[in-house]
Amino acid sequence: MVTTDEEIARRLEETDSARSARRQRAASTVGELARRHTDLAGQLADLERELGEVLTAAGDVIDVRELAAVTDVPAADLTHWRDQATKTTRTGKRKRPGIARKSGSPTKDSPPRATSPTGPAPEAGGNGGVALAAAST
């Protein structure tokens, strides 16, 4: 017996709806986990910043080595947090003082320009052999 068009369509829809439900569950789960990850990463960044500030402020009364010994927190972690707190954040592109681009200088996007000699062209048989004459004397 041959299956009718309606039965084929119903079976395909059944299969597609099961797949769509699984896809929707997967997308929802990934979205929720990503939101949680973002929240936790923000909390962790705040905590690390606070640790760094405390380590920097207490640096005059207790050093990293002693803190590591009394807290059982690895000195490398303490140093990392402290150093991150002392770094300044930059915004925008850094500009170099005192260096100005010459107008007409090629940029990385412009094609190279042909250069021409700056002095007069040497005459044939005239001054063209000055270096050779100086070297031979």
Side-chain angles (χ1 to χ4, degrees):
M1 178 169 150
V2 177
T3 308
T4 65
D5 287 345
E6 291 82 23
E7 181 62 19
I8 291 171
R10 187 190 64 74
R11 289 178 184 176
L12 286 173
E13 187 176 323
E14 203 174 88
T15 303
D16 286 347
S17 72
R19 183 173 180 267
S20 291
R22 286 186 60 211
R23 292 175 68 218
Q24 188 273 330
R25 281 191 306 272
S28 293
T29 302
V30 167
E32 175 59 28
L33 291 172
R35 280 188 291 280
R36 286 177 51 201
H37 179 272
T38 300
D39 291 344
L40 290 173
Q43 291 175 15
L44 182 60
D46 291 344
L47 184 59
E48 288 180 352
R49 187 173 24 261
E50 189 175 345
L51 273 164
E53 290 170 358
V54 169
L55 287 164
T56 301
D60 61 337
V61 293
I62 188 166
D63 66 3
V64 169
R65 193 175 68 242
E66 186 178 3
L67 273 169
V70 298
T71 63
D72 291 331
V73 176
D77 290 346
L78 296 171
T79 302
H80 173 76
W81 294 324
R82 183 199 60 207
D83 292 349
Q84 289 301 314
T86 59
K87 284 185 179 177
T88 58
T89 58
R90 290 188 194 166
T91 57
K93 187 175 179 180
R94 182 177 154 196
K95 296 178 184 173
R96 292 197 220 166
I99 298 177
R101 178 177 295 277
K102 293 179 183 177
S103 62
S105 293
T107 63
K108 67 177 182 175
D109 297 328
S110 64
R113 297 184 317 176
T115 58
S116 59
T118 56
E123 296 176 21
N127 241 358
V130 170
L132 180 59
S136 62
T137 56

